[in-house]
């Protein structure tokens, strides 16, 4: 299994699909399916039965998983979509992710 370029908490931009152009924060990454759930992106209507949390029931809008290949991480400096690289940090020697556009380290 390969390492993914997206982590929980990243701000991402959708580059393909129905939600193209929209941005949001990654809520969850489904590694086995190569998908991610992004806040406010790929919304679907789900029918829910009445329960304790929602006594009325009805139709609920919620985020559906979107394929990782349709997402790009947003550069913290410029705010544009960028590709991600990995390099060793000079001080700590740990692998860090960096923006290919600006060279900025991503948290």
């Amino acid at each position: 299994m390969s390492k993914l370029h997206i982590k929980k908490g990243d701000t991402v931009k959708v580059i393909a699909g129905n939600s193209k152009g929209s941005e949001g924060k990654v809520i969850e990454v489904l590694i086995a399916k190569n998908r991610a759930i992004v806040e406010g992106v790929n919304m679907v209507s789900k029918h829910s039965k009445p329960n304790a949390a929602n006594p009325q029931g009805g139709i609920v809008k919620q985020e559906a998983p979107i394929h990782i290949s349709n997402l790009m991480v947003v550069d913290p400096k410029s705010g544009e979509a960028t590709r991600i690289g990995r390099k060793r940090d000079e001080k700590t020697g740990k692998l860090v992710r960096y923006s290919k556009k600006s060279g900025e380290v991503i948290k």
Side-chain angles (χ1 to χ4, degrees):
M1 199 176 297
S2 63
K3 192 141 168 87
L4 303 175
H5 62 280
I6 285 170
K7 281 184 179 178
K8 179 181 176 178
D10 283 350
T11 304
V12 293
K13 186 170 190 167
V14 181
I15 56 170
N18 292 341
S19 305
K20 183 177 179 176
S22 54
E23 287 186 19
K25 198 173 181 182
V26 176
I27 301 168
E28 185 183 355
V29 178
L30 309 168
I31 299 163
K33 293 184 177 177
N34 270 357
R35 289 175 175 269
I37 298 173
V38 183
E39 211 171 78
V41 171
N42 197 21
M43 299 298 281
V44 293
S45 299
K46 188 173 186 293
H47 297 268
S48 70
K49 279 185 160 180
N51 58 23
N54 186 6
Q56 189 62 42
I59 299 169
V60 179
K61 284 271 199 191
Q62 69 179 42
E63 294 95 350
I66 187 167
H67 201 272
I68 292 276
S69 66
N70 298 335
L71 301 173
M72 275 183 104
V73 176
V74 172
D75 192 332
K77 206 178 219 176
S78 65
E80 297 174 40
T82 178
R83 290 177 301 144
I84 295 294
R86 285 191 187 82
K87 63 182 176 186
R88 291 243 174 248
D89 192 24
E90 294 87 41
K91 297 175 191 105
T92 60
K94 288 184 178 176
L95 264 184
V96 291
R97 299 184 309 153
Y98 72 97
S99 160
K100 293 263 187 157
K101 257 187 189 158
S102 66
E104 189 91 350
V105 171
I106 298 170
K107 48 169 170 122

